[in-house]
Amino acid sequence: MSAAAAPTVDAGAAAPVKKGKKKLIIMALIAVLVLAVAGGGALFMLKKKAAKDTDGAEDTSHAEHGSKPDLKHPPTFLPLDPFVVNLSDKEADRYAQVGITIEVEDAHFAEQMKAFMPAIRNGVLMILSHKTSRELLDRAGKEQLADEILRDASRTMGIEVDDPDVDDTKPAATDKAKGEDDEDTPKPKKKKKRKAVEPNPIKHVHFSNFIVQ
């Protein structure tokens, strides 16, 4: 009878071992599941943040280059005949060959500009002829030229535009050795407040060709 009782004791001892293994497996699966959920949540947050950063960068880009174009109402482009102008360089004879296209609000305004084209071309020629080759060779000089042409063409069309910011303030003279009184010292001029200007149908000035020789 003692020999028959031995298997009963062994079977009873093996059952807890199997149950313990099952518990370990279940706990391991739960841990893996928790980690997977946490990782998925972190990945989702990173993707969301990256998308937000991309949208912010696009908004900044639009702010730097102007408002986003309206694809439903595209602008009208008015190309001008090419300009060949002698520049104001004193060291050597230099000239510029420039192709200009004016971007306007709509085709109706483009037709109106054609009636003023002789005056617009005259303004462009006057601006170009006062430039030096050094001013026109770098990007900043070209951007300034485009801005000057835009303002001149707008005024030709009777549109009021803002002048570029100019600091009229001058440093006050403080040399007391010369016997100058404080009352006679010129005071810096105050900047005049700008008046609200009407919307300008001339949007941009583009260069289709730019050669300086």
Side-chain angles (χ1 to χ4, degrees):
M1 293 182 64
S2 60
T8 304
V9 175
D10 293 339
V17 174
K18 292 182 179 180
K19 290 182 179 180
K21 288 183 178 180
K22 287 183 179 180
K23 286 183 179 181
L24 289 175
I25 293 172
I26 292 173
M27 291 177 66
L29 290 174
I30 292 174
V32 171
L33 182 61
V34 170
L35 290 174
V37 172
L43 183 61
F44 174 76
M45 294 300 295
L46 288 174
K47 287 184 177 181
K48 187 176 181 181
K49 183 178 179 182
K52 186 181 293 185
D53 293 340
T54 302
D55 293 340
E58 290 179 356
D59 293 342
T60 304
S61 177
H62 290 317
E64 292 177 354
H65 296 86
S67 58
K68 188 176 180 180
D70 186 1
L71 299 180
K72 294 182 179 179
H73 303 89
T76 300
F77 294 94
L78 179 63
L80 278 60
D81 292 335
F83 294 85
V84 180
V85 186
N86 291 322
L87 301 177
S88 61
D89 291 70
K90 296 181 179 179
E91 303 84 16
D93 293 335
R94 306 292 296 271
Y95 73 91
Q97 181 179 350
V98 184
I100 296 174
T101 299
I102 300 177
E103 179 183 339
V104 298
E105 193 172 42
D106 52 40
H108 177 69
F109 187 79
E111 290 297 324
Q112 291 180 337
M113 286 191 72
K114 290 179 182 180
F116 292 84
M117 193 54 63
I120 293 173
R121 289 187 60 85
N122 177 72
V124 174
L125 288 170
M126 295 296 291
I127 293 172
L128 280 171
S129 63
H130 283 80
K131 298 291 184 180
T132 64
S133 58
R134 179 177 295 182
E135 291 175 315
L136 298 181
L137 285 174
D138 61 350
R139 180 184 179 90
K142 292 182 177 69
E143 290 176 348
Q144 182 178 353
L145 174 63
D147 188 56
E148 291 177 8
I149 293 173
L150 188 149
R151 292 200 308 271
D152 188 82
S154 299
R155 292 192 179 102
T156 301
M157 297 298 297
I159 302 168
E160 185 179 357
V161 293
D162 283 336
D163 289 323
D165 292 330
V166 178
D167 191 1
D168 296 333
T169 59
K170 297 180 181 179
T174 58
D175 190 0
K176 294 183 179 180
K178 296 181 181 180
E180 295 179 355
D181 296 331
D182 294 339
E183 295 180 356
D184 298 333
T185 302
K187 296 181 180 180
K189 297 179 181 179
K190 295 182 179 179
K191 292 183 178 180
K192 296 181 180 180
K193 293 183 178 179
R194 290 183 176 180
K195 297 180 180 179
V197 296
E198 57 185 312
N200 193 349
I202 302 177
K203 300 303 180 182
H204 299 285
V205 171
H206 304 282
F207 298 116
S208 57
N209 185 34
F210 212 114
I211 299 173
V212 177
Q213 291 185 344

